[in-house]
Amino acid sequence: MIQNNLGNAYQTLPTGDRGENLDRAIACYEAALTVYSAEAWPERNGLVAANLGAVRTRLENPEAPA
């Protein structure tokens, strides 16, 4: 869950380069998904996957609010 929480922090970090922060958030979420498989941890996997999808959407749409 630490990787998920770190991804959340990077996703909303108000300082630094926004694209770089989003890239770091993606890396954190992807790391979390290596632990939380859909079979073993379906609820946590879904939570992290949703966060990953949200940050990828923000990366593709730079005008979206943080």
Side-chain angles (χ1 to χ4, degrees):
M1 250 1 231
I2 291 172
Q3 288 293 332
N4 181 68
N5 294 341
L6 187 56
N8 290 342
Y10 276 127
Q11 191 173 171
T12 59
L13 192 64
T15 59
D17 180 79
R18 185 169 188 215
E20 226 174 83
N21 292 340
L22 295 178
D23 286 339
R24 289 178 179 163
I26 287 171
C28 291
Y29 295 135
E30 288 175 344
L33 287 173
T34 65
V35 175
Y36 293 132
S37 69
E39 296 79 24
W41 301 89
E43 290 177 4
R44 289 189 180 179
N45 178 277
L47 172 73
V48 175
N51 288 338
L52 178 59
V55 76
R56 284 188 173 153
T57 298
R58 286 190 179 127
L59 190 60
E60 292 172 6
N61 183 4
E63 300 302 316

